[in-house]
Amino acid sequence: MKILAGAPARVARVLLDGGPATAAALAERLELTAAAVRRHLDVLVAEGYADVGDRAPYGPAPSRGRGRPARVYSLTPAGREAFDQAYDDLAVGALRYLAETAGDEAVAGFARHRVAELERRYAARLAAVADPIERAETLAELLSADGYAAAAVAHVGGAGAQLCQHHCPVEHVAAEFPQLCEAETEAFERLLGTRVLRLATIAHGDGVCTTHVQAGTAPPRRRVTSS
């Protein structure tokens, strides 16, 4: 796989951090001309690092007035893999050994232990937000600060929201050990104080990790501890 470098890498990084976007939006963020950004996007698409379509993986198609909607660019799995991963084959090997010697429940325990630190760091900030949808938006901000490139999109009519994560630092590990995704989903439910449903994951080949957040409140699940 080629290593992304130069201007195309800058464009790809913005897609990684901010999620799918139009060429005009990318140009504004990068302070480049739209024509220059489109040239770099053409390189990313040609190399298989980006896809282009009429809409993002979530939400309505962006409008540019009359005529066809603006084209939306998003990173492919290969595009995300071009950036450094937080875990490598060593982590997969370690979890395989743990599963073989101590069983799947030990892997699940490790997953809960790992996400407990994230939960502790986020809890105070989210506890100060009463509305579940606003809480989802705050969670997206916190996740983005930790490299998950997240966004929360409210459904029309107050039917909840979708929490979308455009980057997964543990993608390769979670592909073999879904306990990591399951522990994260349970932590989201406790942090948000409402029911959530994981609809898609990058680890399973989807373009975005998507979690539906229920609009109402629900009793939280058991609090995870790291002991």
Side-chain angles (χ1 to χ4, degrees):
M1 177 184 295
K2 289 184 178 180
I3 297 176
L4 284 173
R10 290 181 58 206
V11 174
R13 171 56 71 177
V14 173
L15 286 174
L16 178 69
D17 293 340
T22 63
L26 291 168
E28 183 176 351
R29 296 175 199 170
L30 290 164
E31 298 183 350
L32 298 172
T33 66
V37 168
R38 287 191 184 93
R39 287 197 299 272
H40 303 318
L41 288 168
D42 287 343
V43 172
L44 293 173
V45 171
E47 295 290 343
Y49 293 128
D51 281 331
V52 58
D54 290 334
R55 64 176 62 242
Y58 63 89
S63 174
R64 60 180 179 190
R66 295 182 179 179
R68 295 183 59 191
R71 306 285 277 169
V72 177
Y73 294 84
S74 59
L75 286 186
T76 63
R80 287 190 294 270
E81 289 173 10
F83 293 92
D84 291 337
Q85 299 292 323
Y87 289 79
D88 57 12
D89 291 343
L90 179 61
V92 173
L95 286 177
R96 284 176 182 167
Y97 178 80
L98 183 63
E100 292 170 1
T101 57
D104 290 339
E105 181 54 36
V107 176
F110 168 79
R112 291 191 294 267
H113 174 82
R114 175 184 171 275
V115 81
E117 176 59 27
L118 176 147
E119 190 172 349
R120 281 195 298 271
R121 289 192 292 108
Y122 292 0
R125 174 84 178 272
L126 290 167
V129 183
D131 181 74
I133 305 306
E134 293 181 6
R135 202 177 295 135
E137 294 170 349
T138 302
L139 177 57
E141 294 175 6
L142 294 168
L143 288 167
S144 292
D146 279 342
Y148 288 83
V153 182
H155 291 301
V156 176
Q162 280 190 354
L163 177 65
C164 301
Q165 297 159 258
H166 301 280
H167 180 56
C168 175
V170 297
E171 172 186 350
H172 300 294
V173 184
E176 184 168 342
F177 296 98
Q179 294 95 327
L180 296 172
C181 297
E182 293 163 5
E184 182 183 78
T185 303
E186 292 170 2
F188 287 175
E189 187 164 280
R190 288 188 297 271
L191 286 167
L192 295 173
T194 190
R195 297 299 185 196
V196 305
L197 176 65
R198 184 60 63 92
L199 302 176
T201 63
I202 294 172
H204 289 169
D206 300 300
V208 180
C209 291
T210 307
T211 305
H212 173 73
V213 179
Q214 186 173 299
T217 58
R221 298 189 187 186
R222 178 179 59 86
R223 175 69 58 179
V224 168
T225 64
S226 59
S227 59

